[in-house]
Amino acid sequence: MTDDLAVLRELGKKVLWLASWTIHNANHLRENGDGLKVGGHQASSASLATIMTALYLDVLRPQDRVAVKPHASPIFHAIQYLLGKQKREKLETFRGYKGAQSYPSRTKDADDVDFSTGSVGLGVAQTLFSSLAQDYVRAHGWGLDRPEGRMVALVGDAELDEGNIFEALLEGWKQGLRNCWWVIDYNRQSLDAVVREGLWERYEQLFKNFGWDVVIVKYGSLQQAAFKEPGGDKLKAWIDNCPNQLYSALVFAGGAAWRKRLTDEIGDQGNVSKLIEKRSDSELAALMNNLGGHDLPSVLDAFHNAHPEKPTCFICYTVKGFGLPMAGHKDNHAGLMTPAQMEVFRQTMAVREGHEWDKFEGLGLPAEKLQSFLDRVPFTQGPARRLSAPMIDVPDSLPVTLQPTMATQTGFGALLNEIGRGDSDFARRIVTTSPDVTVSTNLGPWVNRRGLFAREKMADIFKSEHIPSTFNWEFSPKGQHIELGIAEMNLFILLSALGLSHSINGERLLPIGTLYDPFIARGLDALNYACYQDARFILVATPSGITLAGEGGAHQSIAEPLIGMAQDGLASFEPAYVDELAAILRWAFSYIQQSGDGETSERNWLRDETGGSVYLRLSTRPIEQIGRKMTPDLTQQVIDGAYWLREPGPNCQIVVAYTGAVAPEAIAAVGLMAEDRRDVGLLAVTSADRLNAGWTAAQRARERGLVHARSHIERLLADVPPHCAIVSVIDGYPATLAWLGAVGGHRTRALGVEHFGQTGSLAELYQHYGIDANAIVAAAQAIAPGRPIRHLKALP
Ligand SMILES: Cc1ncc(C[n+]2csc(CCOP(=O)(O)OP(=O)(O)O)c2C)c(N)n1
Ligand SMILES: [Mg+2]
């Protein structure tokens, strides 16, 4: 062990050197004003160098998964480089084009990042939900031949200001969290400032309240030894009482400053004077800087003695910028070492010029010894850590009984209820979750069939007491619905964890999350985060829009269709009819499992083989269903994003393009206009997102010389005469469909909702916001002047 400790110490030094050199190199990006951001890594990385060395080179096992604090990415990449899993070129181009990413990225980095980080707080919660996902998988009897992993987050102390962490903590407690470590880099500094005094005590209480073990790693082994010397208790008391700001300032100022301060404040108290005096300035600085988080023996001891299963929070005292000239300075977040400082550092590290990337340059132990240690590091033993899982067969179609009048939300409930009857692997792999809106998003029947998930069985007391209820809420390890408290951030991060199960647990899940459409915004950054990590799930957002009439502006969504279009990694749909929904949902189950890197299809110019997540914007408005057969061609068009509900003729003057629940208004308007305008067309847009993406891709293809590239919407509009105008309508922000006019150069008037809604009946609100049949006809009349549309006056 002593031998190993010596090796680890040397490698720890190298990790700090390599990370610092990587950042120094990235300075070339300062030309674009990036210096401040490059600097963000320097001090922040140094803070975690020891802890990460201990973890990766000793403590972690291959099955463990880590979310690394965003700014510690150079340390992560340096460690992977030492382990032979990161290329020098990637480090040389850190933050550059195709170089190692500024913040660890599981999709863009090539060195085995488990969880992306960047937006602080999200990676932390991801580890918690990944533990729950692992428990879920194993409770269902899957992946039991693999060892159980521990999910570890390396957390900045200021990161703990993010509320989503506490939402996650509460949920973790409810769900009986296990196998999760949060290692807090308690450097008492954020980006701008030094944090408030005594925060660690709040954290300690807080974590304990949620059932966590709390391990405080405060004093390093030098300090612990010094405390045992005569007068050591005085020194300890002084350290404990020293304000954060002052401690940081003295760390920055160095040995002489420590001596002056300590001598002034406690130097005349007998034995402690000797303790101070017998140390040189540099020894005194080493002692005072020897906080637990920079002391390998203390850190290793804390990790190795942790409870095997209980969630554990390690509060590790550190100094931001430890080992570098800016250590402890309150302005050091963006601190970059000057070339002169770097030169001094190079000499201290005994690294010869031109040998900066040599793995063992300047270390005090033979290269073979260091290499043989690295070869034995537990973390890298065994097969590849990134797993995969076979695709789950999806049925050819999803049956649903259509009622004559039906809402898409009801249809969704009915579809899942049908799936829930079966006992196929497909049905078993579905996992649903919802932040306290399970019943109101129509998941109730599915949950009745499949049960709620909990590691321990819990009976539904209403049922056992024979009190009639529509819902059967029995919790068991076999349940397939994870009921969350009302926290949309948690919903998205749980979906992120469940949606990466194939890669983390080697077991595929088909996750579906439901919430009210407006509350997507509540968890938006977490949704973006889940997509950035390439997690795979189906999001069902319902109800939506002002169609939710009586609920008022606080519950009605406006911007979400644009979010659906703009969000990378998320294919968005807003079907009007339940047969469309059935086709889309079936497709979605397959799409979320794709991971090919195939070419774009020449049909729709979309890359469906690469897969992604899916967002379905649904509604509670019952609308009259169309009695029709879903032919393969119609199904395909629904999935590609649009089809003609009424094909325009050659003399067409008006096309109405609608999305979602306003279908009856569009149909009514077209009916009214048909008598005075010839060949009116009615375009059903099921996915503005996919239509638009295909159009953009086809244009790009043409610009690259593929002159025949045509997207789905271009083909649909190809025969619409140039003089024809388009009126688009959606219960959402009008710009969602406004671009349709640019496809073929047709004049366009986009109707939709621009301002906060209010309470009222559906008809009142549609009229007020101008998305009713009357408004469509009026818009058509104005944009395509011609014979007056007689029925306009007939409408209210
Ligand atoms: C959501 C979010 N807001 C703001 C930032 C910008 N930011 C990056 S690091 C940081 C401070 C981090 O402090 P801490 O977590 O204590 O880490 P340290 O730098 O001390 O290591 C901030 C505000 C961010 N990355 N994400
Ligand atoms: Mg900090």
Side-chain angles (χ1 to χ4, degrees):
M1 184 61 201
T2 358
D3 211 24
D4 282 356
L5 193 62
V7 174
L8 272 176
R9 276 216 169 92
E10 290 302 293
L11 291 172
K13 277 196 230 162
K14 185 50 68 181
V15 166
L16 180 61
W17 163 260
L18 284 169
S20 306
W21 184 247
T22 301
I23 297 160
H24 186 69
N25 248 289
N27 275 356
H28 61 271
L29 295 175
R30 291 183 79 170
E31 70 204 30
N32 53 23
D34 205 20
L36 202 70
K37 301 294 257 170
V38 187
H41 296 283
Q42 190 99 72
S44 193
S45 276
S47 196
L48 269 174
T50 317
I51 291 170
M52 286 177 65
T53 302
L55 278 173
Y56 280 96
L57 301 187
D58 185 74
V59 179
L60 295 175
R61 305 152 305 167
Q63 65 269 29
D64 298 333
R65 308 282 170 175
V66 193
V68 175
K69 178 185 81 168
H71 279 108
S73 79
I75 297 281
F76 171 79
H77 295 309
I79 291 174
Q80 296 296 333
Y81 176 70
L82 282 183
L83 290 171
K85 295 177 152 209
Q86 176 61 295
K87 293 197 184 103
R88 174 173 159 178
E89 305 91 84
K90 294 277 183 190
L91 297 186
E92 283 175 329
T93 49
F94 173 61
R95 294 176 68 94
Y97 185 56
K98 301 209 166 157
Q101 297 295 293
S102 338
Y103 306 111
S105 167
R106 60 172 282 122
T107 49
K108 308 246 184 281
D109 275 317
D111 54 347
D112 209 9
V113 172
D114 292 324
F115 302 120
S116 304
T117 55
S119 176
V120 297
L122 300 180
V124 183
Q126 172 84 33
T127 58
L128 184 150
F129 286 106
S130 292
S131 293
L132 298 183
Q134 175 176 260
D135 277 346
Y136 179 92
V137 165
R138 297 175 76 88
H140 286 77
W142 298 314
L144 294 174
D145 51 341
R146 291 193 194 91
E148 207 166 51
R150 182 179 285 134
M151 308 296 163
V152 180
L154 295 160
V155 190
D157 47 0
E159 197 166 2
L160 284 167
D161 285 330
E162 286 289 2
N164 84 278
I165 293 184
F166 301 95
E167 296 177 9
L169 260 184
L170 182 52
E171 198 57 53
W173 175 79
K174 290 187 207 163
Q175 309 275 351
L177 175 70
R178 308 176 312 134
N179 293 316
C180 188
W181 279 5
W182 287 358
V183 182
I184 301 176
D185 177 10
Y186 194 56
N187 61 24
R188 289 150 290 153
Q189 282 188 251
S190 60
L191 192 159
D192 285 336
V194 175
V195 303
R196 292 284 182 284
E197 295 303 323
L199 263 184
W200 66 274
E201 287 169 295
R202 319 294 128 211
Y203 297 152
E204 186 185 21
Q205 278 316 316
L206 214 130
F207 279 93
K208 283 188 170 160
N209 280 343
F210 287 116
W212 289 53
D213 269 359
V214 177
V215 178
I216 297 176
V217 188
K218 179 162 183 183
Y219 317 104
S221 45
L222 290 181
Q223 290 188 349
Q224 289 173 37
F227 298 159
K228 291 194 186 120
E229 291 177 31
D233 52 336
K234 295 262 172 1
L235 179 71
K236 181 169 185 288
W238 187 90
I239 292 178
D240 287 347
N241 290 326
C242 181
N244 292 336
Q245 286 246 24
L246 178 60
Y247 210 97
S248 296
L250 290 171
V251 167
F252 179 74
W258 278 116
R259 181 177 309 284
K260 177 156 188 342
R261 193 77 188 202
L262 289 169
T263 311
D264 287 353
E265 297 197 0
I266 52 170
D268 57 351
Q269 298 185 25
N271 288 329
V272 74
S273 313
K274 268 195 227 111
L275 192 156
I276 299 167
E277 277 161 22
K278 78 178 201 201
R279 288 169 165 88
S280 69
D281 278 359
S282 62
E283 282 168 346
L284 191 60
L287 172 67
M288 297 308 285
N289 292 356
N290 180 238
L291 297 178
H294 297 304
D295 186 64
L296 267 174
S298 309
V299 168
L300 290 170
D301 187 58
F303 291 144
H304 284 300
N305 291 313
H307 189 282
E309 193 179 280
K310 253 178 114 176
T312 305
C313 166
F314 300 87
I315 302 179
C316 300
Y317 276 70
T318 53
V319 171
K320 189 156 168 174
F322 186 76
L324 305 176
M326 79 276 285
H329 197 292
K330 72 180 173 62
D331 303 342
N332 67 10
H333 186 82
L336 268 173
M337 291 210 279
T338 61
Q341 285 175 325
M342 200 61 205
E343 184 54 25
V344 173
F345 189 45
R346 195 172 63 72
Q347 285 168 19
T348 324
M349 290 286 179
V351 172
R352 288 167 296 159
E353 242 174 292
H355 293 264
E356 289 86 356
W357 296 110
D358 293 4
K359 280 190 186 175
F360 306 125
E361 171 78 3
L363 298 185
L365 291 170
E368 310 78 66
K369 191 179 173 93
L370 296 166
Q371 188 58 55
S372 102
F373 180 92
L374 286 173
D375 292 341
R376 284 179 284 117
V377 161
F379 187 63
T380 53
Q381 309 304 313
R385 296 179 64 256
R386 194 165 284 203
L387 306 172
S388 60
M391 300 229 276
I392 310 295
D393 282 339
V394 177
D396 292 340
S397 66
L398 298 180
V400 61
T401 309
L402 292 185
Q403 311 296 334
T405 300
M406 203 172 184
T408 44
Q409 176 175 316
T410 323
F412 166 69
L415 279 158
L416 272 191
N417 186 30
E418 269 314 310
I419 297 171
R421 282 178 203 277
D423 196 30
S424 56
D425 195 31
F426 165 66
R428 275 195 298 273
R429 294 279 171 163
I430 293 175
V431 50
T432 56
T433 179
S434 184
D436 203 27
V437 288
T438 299
V439 172
S440 47
T441 55
N442 276 43
L443 268 180
W446 157 266
V447 175
N448 280 348
R449 288 191 192 284
R450 314 301 292 199
L452 288 110
F453 172 73
R455 280 199 300 113
E456 320 263 304
K457 225 174 155 52
M458 255 188 303
D460 183 340
I461 305 284
F462 276 74
K463 190 174 169 195
S464 49
E465 293 294 318
H466 306 293
I467 300 173
S469 158
T470 328
F471 300 106
N472 172 15
W473 287 71
E474 262 174 351
F475 290 81
S476 85
K478 294 281 159 267
Q480 284 181 247
H481 176 75
I482 302 177
E483 179 69 10
L484 291 173
I486 326 164
E488 288 70 20
M489 276 279 177
N490 282 346
L491 171 75
F492 290 121
I493 304 177
L494 175 59
L495 287 174
S496 174
L498 296 169
L500 287 175
S501 178
H502 52 284
S503 164
I504 303 282
N505 302 309
E507 294 293 336
R508 194 177 292 279
L509 297 173
L510 304 172
I512 301 180
T514 70
L515 86 169
Y516 297 171
D517 196 52
F519 303 133
I520 285 183
R522 183 65 173 258
L524 193 50
D525 197 24
L527 170 62
N528 178 60
Y529 174 69
C531 292
Y532 181 61
Q533 301 214 87
D534 200 22
R536 301 303 182 81
F537 51 87
I538 298 172
L539 182 65
V540 178
T542 180
S544 58
I546 59 167
T547 302
L548 192 57
E551 287 281 289
H555 267 50
Q556 297 159 347
S557 59
I558 300 174
E560 275 64 13
L562 289 179
I563 292 173
M565 284 181 88
Q567 179 61 55
D568 192 15
L570 192 68
S572 310
F573 294 87
E574 187 168 350
Y577 297 102
V578 174
D579 56 1
E580 296 169 357
L581 173 65
I584 293 165
L585 188 62
R586 197 217 75 86
W587 175 86
F589 280 120
S590 161
Y591 181 70
I592 63 169
Q593 302 190 58
Q594 306 295 325
S595 59
D597 44 15
E599 293 292 302
T600 35
S601 137
E602 297 219 351
R603 177 174 46 79
N604 56 14
W605 287 92
L606 296 169
R607 286 177 307 163
D608 287 352
E609 300 78 8
T610 57
S613 286
V614 176
Y615 158 33
L616 308 178
R617 188 176 192 247
L618 305 185
S619 170
T620 37
R621 180 186 188 190
I623 65 174
E624 199 182 319
Q625 301 294 301
I626 306 173
R628 62 181 166 187
K629 192 169 159 17
M630 274 307 242
T631 60
D633 177 55
L634 181 55
T635 303
Q636 192 56 64
Q637 295 204 50
V638 163
I639 289 158
D640 287 348
Y643 63 94
W644 286 115
L645 204 51
R646 177 177 168 143
E647 198 150 357
N651 298 313
C652 172
Q653 294 172 337
I654 288 286
V655 161
V656 175
Y658 76 90
T659 282
V662 291
E665 280 60 35
I667 292 170
V670 167
L672 290 167
M673 289 190 285
E675 292 181 23
D676 301 299
R677 289 282 189 279
R678 269 193 278 175
D679 295 349
V680 185
L682 182 59
L683 186 68
V685 178
T686 46
S687 173
D689 178 27
R690 283 170 56 82
L691 268 193
N692 183 269
W695 176 50
T696 307
Q699 291 176 92
R700 204 178 295 124
R702 291 201 288 274
E703 287 150 18
R704 287 183 188 147
L706 289 167
V707 287
H708 300 297
R710 285 292 172 280
S711 61
H712 184 52
I713 187 64
E714 286 169 317
R715 266 186 268 112
L716 286 170
L717 296 181
D719 295 330
V720 175
H723 64 267
C724 178
I726 299 176
V727 175
S728 69
V729 58
I730 182 171
D731 179 3
Y733 199 68
T736 311
L737 294 175
W739 58 274
L740 283 173
V743 175
H746 298 106
R747 276 165 296 128
T748 297
R749 165 77 168 105
L751 303 177
V753 181
E754 297 147 88
H755 302 292
F756 290 120
Q758 55 185 303
T759 50
S761 71
L762 190 139
E764 284 164 340
L765 294 193
Y766 276 16
Q767 186 186 12
H768 181 92
Y769 292 93
I771 55 172
D772 61 354
N774 195 2
I776 298 169
V777 173
Q781 169 96 313
I783 196 172
R787 247 174 89 190
I789 298 171
R790 285 166 291 165
H791 281 284
L792 184 53
K793 291 196 189 65
L795 288 167

